[in-house]
């Protein structure tokens, strides 16, 4: 039996080197025992017996898909992972297409590990909550987090990009990540007692969470799978969940809204594939659930890198009025829902004054990921460029094709560019019904954030009245159109 001692639990380089050496010396998977003892002692193979085998002389290239999967699966907590990956590597010598056979038990298991690890990384990005802590150097932020798999090192660069201007530490039982505004470093695992328990940010989180909680969309099973209970004890907003669930039914009864549908796994898989690869003129998703799944995995431009998640449109699948904004803001990025922050509140107020029930509209954005730059602790909105708008039109077009609204309102210049396909001056085209090639009528008006930013109160009043008038005009066009 060949014993391989890896330096640590996520020692992919050590595993790779040892696996190469074992294979070259013809050590079969059943003859290798993989351990981690922290002693950084790499495999030192016995010289092969004369004439034992000649595996080493045969050229052997490992498929890229295998290397990528192995780098991810090795972060899984299962003790089986090193041996499983070596068994796959060994089999690839004689079964070069093995990785394509998804029904093979070894391939299926490794892929399951990969999926579990991706999910754990996603949860870490969504559920790390920093608490304020001070030290000799001043303000710092500390979070305690228990990832389902060993994803801390792999996920830390995301937090560097997201919180570049904050000094922070993420403490976990496996390893701790530290960002000091210049370098990302790692130290040994910590204890929950090392992290601060409460700070003023908790109240902010609770208020915010309660305000974005949508009882009509509550699915307890789906919510617990999205926000598994294992993460609750470190989430300030989790204390609210039982009460919000208990009151959801009564609140839902007051709301007129069509619940969102959960896409099937098959649909999600197809959406993820198309979100990355599909050329612009290919057939897009065929249901809104697939758009939502695809948007979250979209790699058609680079904005996904610094965003928490993709934010798809929200509203009834047969809405007759579609409202298109620019891109999700800070709060929308965290909530995964369009127009829930200050611009959303301004929009809600104007819709109510125009007599338009928001629950009967489909609200979406030209660009589905939040583009921003860090400034201090804040994330400052950055206007998406024409390339990003064009890349994301694939999703907006899919939403338009699926919802088939009678009227589309473009809120501001970026939305107008996406909806009309060319720069369209807001002031020049207000109060006009613009015929679109798909028989929809387009209307252009101000973006609510523009109204929020206007410094002069009188100008603000005038612009707001115009905004309400434009929404009233659009709703009039809807009512004048043939019934849905
Ligand atoms: N601004 C937008 O354009 N869209 C949102 O969803 C929020 C703010």
């Amino acid at each position: 039996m060949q014993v391989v001692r890896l330096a640590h639990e996520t020692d992919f380089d050590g595993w790779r080197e040892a696996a190469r050496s074992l294979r070259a010396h013809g050590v079969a998977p059943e003859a290798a025992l993989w351990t981690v003892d922290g002693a950084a002692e790499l495999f030192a193979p016995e010289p092969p017996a004369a004439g034992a085998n000649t595996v080493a002389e045969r050229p052997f290239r490992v498929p890229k898909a295998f290397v990528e999967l192995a780098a991810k699966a090795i972060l899984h907590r299962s003790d089986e992972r090193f041996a499983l990956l070596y068994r796959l590597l060994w089999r690839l010598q004689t079964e070069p297409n093995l990785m394509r056979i998804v029904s093979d038990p070894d391939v299926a298991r490794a892929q399951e590990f990969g999926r579990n690890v991706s999910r754990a990384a996603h949860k870490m990005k969504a559920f790390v909550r920093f608490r304020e802590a001070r030290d000799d150097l001043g303000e710092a932020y500390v979070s305690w987090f228990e990832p389902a798999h060993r994803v801390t090192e792999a996920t830390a660069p995301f937090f560097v990009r997201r919180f570049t201007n904050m000094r922070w530490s993420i403490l976990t039982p496996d390893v701790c990540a530290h960002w000091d505004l210049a370098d990302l470093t790692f130290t040994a695992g910590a204890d929950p007692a090392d992290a601060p328990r409460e700070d003023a940010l908790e109240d902010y989180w609770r208020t915010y969470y309660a305000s974005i909680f949508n009882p009509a969309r509550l699915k307890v099973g789906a919510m617990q799978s999205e926000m598994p209970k294992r993460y609750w004890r470190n989430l300030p907003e989790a204390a609210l969940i039982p009460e919000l669930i208990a009151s959801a039914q009564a609140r839902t009864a007051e709301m007129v809204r069509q619940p969102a549908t959960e896409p099937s796994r098959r649909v999600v898989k197809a959406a993820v594939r198309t979100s990355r690869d599909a050329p612009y003129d290919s057939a897009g998703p065929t249901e809104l659930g697939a758009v939502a799944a695809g948007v979250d995995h979209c790699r058609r431009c680079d904005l996904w890198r610094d965003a928490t998640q993709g934010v798809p449109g929200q509203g009834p699948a047969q809405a007759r009025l579609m409202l298109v904004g620019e891109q999700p803001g800070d709060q929308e990025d965290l909530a995964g829902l369009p127009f829930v922050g200050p611009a959303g509140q301004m929009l809600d107020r104007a819709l109510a004054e125009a007599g338009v029930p928001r629950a009967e509209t489909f609200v979406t954005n030209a660009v589905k990921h939040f583009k921003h730059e860090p400034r201090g602790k804040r994330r400052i909105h950055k206007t998406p460029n024409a390339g990003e708008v064009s890349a994301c039109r694939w999703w907006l077009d899919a939403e338009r094709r699926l919802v088939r609204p009678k009227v589309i309102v473009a809120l501001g210049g970026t939305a107008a560019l996406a909806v009309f396909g060319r720069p369209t001056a807001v002031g020049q085209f207000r109060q006009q019904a613009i015929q679109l090639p798909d028989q929809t009528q387009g209307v252009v008006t101000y973006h609510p954030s523009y109204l929020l930013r206007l410094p002069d109160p009188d100008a603000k009043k005038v612009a707001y009245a115009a905004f309400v008038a434009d929404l009233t005009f659009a709703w009039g066009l809807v009512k004048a159109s043939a019934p849905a």
Side-chain angles (χ1 to χ4, degrees), residues 294-316:
V295 157
D296 196 29
H297 290 85
C298 187
R299 302 292 184 263
R300 301 179 87 86
C301 76
D302 270 347
L303 294 184
W304 63 275
R305 288 184 189 283
D306 295 330
T308 307
Q309 57 197 316
V311 180
Q314 184 195 30

Side-chain angles (χ1 to χ4, degrees), residues 97-322:
N97 291 324
L98 177 60
M99 296 315 291
R100 294 208 202 119
I101 308 173
V102 289
S103 57
D104 179 276
D106 284 342
V107 174
R109 187 104 180 106
Q111 288 184 341
E112 187 192 344
F113 282 9
R115 278 194 301 276
N116 294 160
V117 166
S118 297
R119 183 173 154 84
H122 182 73
K123 296 289 172 218
M124 183 160 187
K125 290 179 190 171
F127 295 147
V128 158
R129 297 282 183 270
F130 289 104
R131 295 183 161 97
E132 197 168 352
R134 297 196 76 78
D135 62 15
D136 304 344
L137 297 173
E139 193 176 73
Y141 290 83
V142 181
S143 166
W144 170 255
F145 191 74
E146 294 167 45
H149 297 286
R150 296 185 178 91
V151 294
T152 306
E153 285 139 304
T155 313
F158 165 85
F159 290 98
V160 171
R161 289 195 300 273
R162 169 68 98 72
F163 300 110
T164 315
N165 294 345
M166 261 165 66
R167 268 191 325 121
W168 54 255
S169 293
I170 302 174
L171 313 183
T172 86
D174 310 310
V175 64
C176 300
H178 311 274
W179 171 246
D180 65 1
L181 308 181
D183 293 309
L184 177 64
T185 51
F186 297 95
T187 54
D191 189 271
D194 297 330
R197 295 302 311 165
E198 278 277 337
D199 79 353
L201 295 180
E202 318 277 276
D203 277 347
Y204 165 76
W205 268 107
R206 281 190 280 264
T207 310
Y208 166 66
Y209 186 77
S211 73
I212 57 138
F213 179 83
N214 182 345
R217 297 193 68 178
L218 173 65
K219 291 192 174 132
V220 178
M223 177 175 143
Q224 288 185 353
S225 115
E226 269 309 299
M227 194 196 256
K229 278 199 157 166
R230 67 190 308 278
Y231 298 110
W232 285 23
R233 63 176 172 277
N234 297 311
L235 294 176
E237 67 270 31
L240 299 174
I241 293 174
E243 162 58 22
L244 290 173
I245 291 177
S247 59
Q249 225 180 359
R251 288 178 60 198
T252 307
E254 291 162 23
M255 294 172 70
V256 185
R257 119 167 297 138
Q258 190 166 317
T261 53
E262 288 288 324
S264 69
R265 280 180 57 189
R266 178 187 57 76
V267 167
V268 170
K269 251 169 92 173
V272 169
R273 209 173 40 246
T274 50
S275 70
R276 285 154 203 249
D277 310 330
Y280 192 84
D281 55 1
S282 63
T286 52
E287 51 185 281
L288 286 174
V291 174
V295 157
D296 196 29
H297 290 85
C298 187
R299 302 292 184 263
R300 301 179 87 86
C301 76
D302 270 347
L303 294 184
W304 63 275
R305 288 184 189 283
D306 295 330
T308 307
Q309 57 197 316
V311 180
Q314 184 195 30
Q318 277 90 33
R320 291 180 299 157
L321 181 64
M322 178 179 275

Side-chain angles (χ1 to χ4, degrees), residues 325-329 332 338-339 343 365 447 449:
E326 182 192 77
Q327 60 162 359
E332 288 78 12
F339 282 103
N365 282 299
H447 191 287
S449 301

